[in-house]
């Protein structure tokens, strides 16, 4: 059974940091590009960041570039997102997903696999 399980979300004050993790199982993690996608309350999906299968190439949406860092550990089948200098507009459900890069996402099923999400709330 394929599983992507996100963790690490929570409530944080503006300017704070969080580190999200995504544990993968049931498929060959190291052969897939991986992505973080988020959905803010009342809004559509937004692609946030991606990393290629080998971990050497990373990509970011303009809204998070310079503040977020994506990485992966293929030995541990885990994807990470280090989020710094968080802003209220970063409040969203964050999903990890496996599959081809998609800079514009309208539905999670556009990816091969996806998780259930972890909530990030940035508020004072």
């Amino acid at each position: 059974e394929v599983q992507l399980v996100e963790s690490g979300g929570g409530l944080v004050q503006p300017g704070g940091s969080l580190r999200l993790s995504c544990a993968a199982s049931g498929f060959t993690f190291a052969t897939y590009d991986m992505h973080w996608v988020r959905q803010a309350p009342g809004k559509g999906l937004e692609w946030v960041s991606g990393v290629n299968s080998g971990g050497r190439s990373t990509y970011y949406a303009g809204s998070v570039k310079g503040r977020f860092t994506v990485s992966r550990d293929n030995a541990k089948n885990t994807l990470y997102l280090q989020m710094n200098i968080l802003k209220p507009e970063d409040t969203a459900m964050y999903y990890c997903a496996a599959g081809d890069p998609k800079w514009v996402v309208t539905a999670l099923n556009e990816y091969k696999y996806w998780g259930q999400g972890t909530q990030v709330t940035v508020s004072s």
Side-chain angles (χ1 to χ4, degrees):
E1 178 188 6
V2 170
Q3 282 193 315
L4 287 170
V5 181
E6 301 92 338
S7 62
L11 174 64
V12 62
Q13 292 187 341
S17 298
L18 282 175
R19 189 194 196 202
L20 305 185
S21 299
C22 171
S25 60
F27 67 102
T28 310
F29 177 78
T31 64
Y32 282 86
D33 293 350
M34 295 296 298
H35 310 276
W36 289 99
V37 178
R38 69 186 180 185
Q39 186 166 27
K43 296 189 177 181
L45 290 170
E46 177 189 15
W47 173 83
V48 173
S49 182
V51 56
N52 73 336
S53 57
R56 290 185 175 274
S57 297
T58 57
Y59 310 91
Y60 300 94
S63 57
V64 306
K65 195 169 186 178
R67 300 188 297 122
F68 290 12
T69 302
V70 63
S71 62
R72 64 191 296 163
D73 186 335
N74 285 345
K76 295 183 178 179
N77 287 350
T78 303
L79 174 73
Y80 303 100
L81 185 68
Q82 177 67 43
M83 306 187 295
N84 298 329
I85 319 176
L86 281 161
K87 304 176 181 181
E89 51 263 44
D90 294 318
T91 295
M93 184 71 78
Y94 283 72
Y95 302 91
C96 65
D100 293 337
K102 300 182 191 300
W103 316 129
V104 177
V105 182
T106 57
L108 288 172
N109 62 13
E110 294 176 21
Y111 292 102
K112 182 72 171 178
Y113 308 117
W114 60 93
Q116 294 301 305
T118 186
Q119 177 68 39
V120 171
T121 302
V122 185
S123 175
S124 55

